[in-house]
Amino acid sequence: YSGRNIKSIISYLQSLLTNSRESMEIWAHRGRSTPSSQGNTYLDFARCNQHGVNGIETDICMTPDGKVIICHPGTLTPDPSKMTWRGIKQSRLTVLSLNDFLVMIRSFGNVSCTLDIKMYSIDLVREAVRAISTYHLEDRVYLTTFQRKVPQFPMETDAKLLLFAKKINPKIKTHIMAVFPANLPGLVHKYSPDAISFGWLNDPPWLALVSKNVFKATASLVNLPSQVSYLKDRGIKVWGGIVNNHTDMEYLAGLGVDGLVTDDIVA
């Protein structure tokens, strides 16, 4: 894909909110520019920065020897989350440490990021907060968890971890992925996040269909645009995703979100 194509789709996404004074934020899921990208690699992140995304979503976990790495457990073979840092460095895997990632983010200027915590671990949260604070990135990095754990689905964490992060450093930004968008103001009251996102699951296909239908039915019942407006009036960012086609992008933009999360910015 050419740089022109990537900039074209970003312009299209931004035009979805032409009636708003704000610009649509574009967030790259796992730093991908296309679904075929591996994601969570230096080249992915650099490409997204080159083509002007507003933010990068990535994943963090901890190795058995306590190293925080950029990795979604279970997506690579061998699985870095089950290897020592030394073993990872000696392998052919291209896995960044959290420290290396944050150094890169600092060099990107105004690009923000969300760090999706992929293990329910107090130690992981503590180390992530320490790293964000060390690099003075509290204004650009959000720690992310799901609203709550759902063992039957790939929802590994809950927002209690974010409360712990705020206790360590009150300046840390936090982001909740709402499992169900039934009561977003209630989430704000309970956890005081800086950002909330919502959407539906994308895999496997049967679950994606069910998840999308449930989401849309819930959104209409609870007047989701009104809830989004309530959050935005209180300075809370609201993002929608993960969406990879124009129809879904337009639907979520119509709810009034500040930005969209996608792994196909050239869709």
Side-chain angles (χ1 to χ4, degrees):
Y1 293 100
S2 68
R4 175 183 294 180
N5 287 339
I6 293 176
K7 291 180 180 178
S8 175
I9 192 63
I10 290 177
S11 295
Y12 163 77
L13 292 172
Q14 290 175 335
S15 74
L16 293 175
L17 286 185
T18 53
N19 294 327
S20 171
R21 293 183 179 179
E22 301 174 349
S23 297
M24 174 68 74
E25 295 180 9
I26 308 304
W27 285 74
H29 178 232
R30 300 186 192 173
R32 290 172 172 162
S33 55
T34 69
S36 61
S37 303
Q38 175 180 315
N40 285 339
T41 69
Y42 175 85
L43 290 178
D44 289 313
F45 302 140
R47 187 178 296 117
C48 285
N49 176 59
Q50 179 184 358
H51 294 299
V53 299
N54 300 96
I56 291 170
E57 185 274 349
T58 191
D59 307 295
I60 58 171
C61 62
M62 182 175 279
T63 64
D65 57 341
K67 188 75 170 182
V68 182
I69 58 174
I70 302 299
C71 174
H72 189 301
T75 59
L76 297 175
T77 302
D79 189 340
S81 68
K82 298 178 180 179
M83 302 169 65
T84 64
W85 178 238
R86 180 178 181 182
I88 292 171
K89 297 296 286 183
Q90 292 176 341
S91 74
R92 295 182 178 180
L93 297 172
T94 54
V95 176
L96 290 169
S97 70
L98 175 58
N99 285 344
D100 288 340
F101 174 78
L102 294 178
V103 168
M104 179 179 60
I105 287 294
R106 284 188 64 178
S107 73
F108 282 176
N110 294 323
V111 177
S112 297
C113 75
T114 62
L115 301 177
D116 187 356
I117 302 168
K118 306 308 292 185
M119 294 177 171
Y120 196 91
S121 167
I122 293 296
D123 290 337
L124 174 56
V125 173
R126 183 182 293 110
E127 288 303 305
V129 172
R130 181 200 60 76
I132 294 168
S133 304
T134 297
Y135 291 102
H136 306 292
L137 285 169
E138 292 96 334
D139 60 332
R140 289 168 53 196
V141 177
Y142 297 78
L143 279 183
T144 298
T145 68
F146 287 100
Q147 171 186 348
R148 66 172 66 97
K149 294 179 67 175
V150 182
Q152 295 82 359
F153 302 110
M155 300 175 185
E156 307 89 347
T157 54
D158 67 50
K160 293 178 183 178
L161 290 177
L162 301 182
L163 295 178
F164 176 71
K166 288 279 193 180
K167 286 183 179 179
I168 302 173
N169 182 350
K171 294 182 179 179
I172 289 290
K173 286 191 173 183
T174 58
H175 161 224
I176 293 176
M177 293 182 286
V179 178
F180 301 106
N183 184 10
L184 300 184
L187 284 180
V188 170
H189 177 74
K190 187 173 183 178
Y191 296 109
S192 300
D194 299 282
I196 287 180
S197 63
F198 50 67
W200 47 82
L201 300 173
N202 285 331
D203 293 304
W206 68 268
L207 182 57
L209 180 61
V210 172
S211 178
K212 183 184 293 188
N213 288 335
V214 170
F215 176 90
K216 290 188 174 182
T218 303
S220 63
L221 287 173
V222 302
N223 192 1
L224 192 53
S226 176
Q227 294 193 43
V228 170
S229 179
Y230 174 90
L231 266 58
K232 292 172 67 173
D233 286 345
R234 283 150 184 79
I236 298 167
K237 289 286 187 179
V238 185
W239 304 312
I242 303 162
V243 285
N244 295 327
N245 62 69
H246 293 176
T247 300
D248 290 341
M249 290 173 182
E250 289 171 350
Y251 170 76
L252 289 180
L255 297 176
V257 297
D258 293 295
L260 297 172
V261 185
T262 178
D263 45 24
D264 195 359
I265 62 174
V266 294

